[in-house]
Amino acid sequence: MYDICCVGHITLDKVITANGEKLMAGGTSFYFSNALSNMDVNYCLVTSLAESEMHFVDDLRIKGLTVIALASKHTVNFENNYSKNLYHRTQRVLQTADSFTVEQLHQVEAAIFHLGPLLANDIPLMLIKDLANRGKISLDVQGYLRKVENKSVQAIGWQDKKEALKYVDILKADEAEMEMLTGYKDVRRGAEMLCEWGVKEVVITFGSKGSLIYAQHIFYDIPAYTPAVEIDTTGCGDTYMAGYLYQRISGASVQVAGEFGAAMASLKIESSGPFTGTKKAVLMQMEKSKTYYTIIN
């Protein structure tokens, strides 16, 4: 039985910023897993990729992470092009991977399953229902709200949202995804709507403006922590959720967990690639911003 199990594809990404271009591993599962690599949590990743990119899995295992790597004909291949404002990007998808199935995960047990679909077909509704019988479901909704047309990523509605969200305990979305999902520009009303549909905790991120969490009819305002330098925001939301779920599974309150995740994400921005720092580094970042809470040890 794992504390947290992430399900999602590792990708082969081309990241284009004002500082140049880089080919690197990516995807929700990659950034989420790395962020937990030095945390005291019993963690497992279930991913799927082609044999040519299995060295990404080897690198994670060297860090001590448990990885169940499923074979796929292709690895998801994203191209992320960032403007001068690192919180805005355009995407292209050059190839996609096989969907996950119920049979592939039928023996995996976890207290929390964090689902990180990158495209609408990655994790079918049947798999969400099945995993919900074995643990809480945490979902980054972004993949269900986009499809690929002529290699370009296009926004779409999620047809099965009301049925699927009955099984989701924790949902993460950014401001635009929240509006697309609920139809509300007012994120507080949108969060309330998601809870009416069955979600227990709603996490809404606003990039450099912080985040908002709604749980048990209470709104929690989470500050954004200022990084020393802004290098690369790729994977910030995944890093945030890694910190948030790590603290929640440890028994921390919503406010404490949100601030821990936000501080963790701000440290990730300071360099290219995933966050691989320590809990101590995150606590130091929180202290710099004079935010004082008792973090669960």
Side-chain angles (χ1 to χ4, degrees):
M1 166 70 82
Y2 298 101
D3 295 327
I4 302 173
C5 174
C6 180
V7 181
H9 294 102
I10 292 178
T11 67
L12 175 62
D13 286 353
K14 176 189 283 188
V15 179
I16 305 171
T17 68
N19 297 319
E21 299 182 8
K22 287 188 177 182
L23 279 176
M24 56 197 298
T28 292
S29 64
F30 177 76
Y31 287 98
F32 187 93
S33 298
N34 273 284
L36 291 177
S37 61
N38 292 320
M39 303 295 160
D40 52 330
V41 62
N42 186 12
Y43 173 73
C44 174
L45 166 64
V46 179
T47 191
S48 176
L49 66 174
E51 183 62 36
S52 56
E53 278 72 53
M54 281 293 176
H55 59 93
F56 293 150
V57 171
D58 296 335
D59 293 341
L60 291 174
R61 287 173 174 159
I62 288 171
K63 295 176 181 178
L65 291 166
T66 299
V67 183
I68 298 172
L70 307 169
S72 174
K73 183 176 181 180
H74 298 293
T75 297
V76 179
N77 187 190
F78 272 96
E79 179 184 85
N80 297 316
N81 194 333
Y82 287 87
S83 64
K84 290 182 180 180
N85 181 343
L86 291 178
Y87 293 96
H88 293 90
R89 69 184 177 186
T90 57
Q91 287 186 312
R92 294 202 308 153
V93 179
L94 307 183
Q95 61 185 20
T96 61
D98 300 334
S99 302
F100 293 96
T101 68
V102 170
E103 291 73 25
Q104 289 171 332
L105 281 92
H106 76 281
Q107 291 186 325
V108 182
E109 301 284 343
I112 298 177
F113 289 97
H114 181 61
L115 310 184
L118 301 173
L119 297 168
N121 295 325
D122 285 357
I123 300 176
L125 175 59
M126 184 180 299
L127 181 54
I128 296 177
K129 292 180 178 181
D130 184 73
L131 294 176
N133 290 322
R134 282 173 275 151
K136 290 184 177 181
I137 299 296
S138 169
L139 172 66
D140 187 325
V141 76
Q142 64 174 340
Y144 290 115
L145 301 177
R146 58 190 185 188
K147 65 176 180 177
V148 180
E149 286 188 357
N150 298 320
K151 298 183 179 180
S152 177
V153 177
Q154 304 293 330
I156 60 169
W158 184 11
Q159 185 175 356
D160 295 327
K161 63 185 179 184
K162 289 188 178 180
E163 178 62 23
L165 292 177
K166 296 176 185 176
Y167 302 93
V168 174
D169 296 276
I170 304 167
L171 182 137
K172 181 262 179 188
D174 65 22
E175 192 173 6
E177 291 162 351
M178 171 64 64
E179 182 178 352
M180 182 178 298
L181 195 59
T182 66
Y184 287 103
K185 289 183 178 292
D186 183 335
V187 293
R188 291 178 179 250
R189 183 65 191 100
E192 290 171 339
M193 174 64 74
L194 289 172
C195 286
E196 289 171 13
W197 291 343
V199 180
K200 307 297 187 300
E201 297 176 21
V202 178
V203 179
I204 311 168
T205 58
F206 305 99
S208 61
K209 297 179 181 178
S211 55
L212 181 74
I213 302 175
Y214 182 60
Q216 296 181 336
H217 307 290
I218 299 172
F219 285 100
Y220 299 86
D221 291 303
I222 310 299
Y225 293 81
T226 304
V229 60
E230 292 191 2
I231 301 297
D232 181 11
T233 59
T234 307
C236 278
D238 306 317
T239 304
Y240 179 112
M241 285 304 294
Y244 181 75
L245 293 179
Y246 162 63
Q247 282 292 300
R248 290 296 279 152
I249 198 69
S250 300
S253 68
V254 170
Q255 184 74 37
V256 170
E259 295 193 1
F260 187 92
M264 202 168 176
S266 70
L267 290 174
K268 182 265 160 286
I269 297 174
E270 296 179 357
S271 61
S272 183
F275 175 80
T276 56
T278 63
K279 181 177 182 178
K280 181 178 179 180
V282 179
L283 297 179
M284 289 177 63
Q285 179 75 340
M286 295 174 74
E287 289 175 3
K288 287 179 186 177
S289 299
K290 293 183 173 59
T291 302
Y292 299 103
Y293 289 97
T294 300
I295 302 298
I296 301 298
N297 293 314

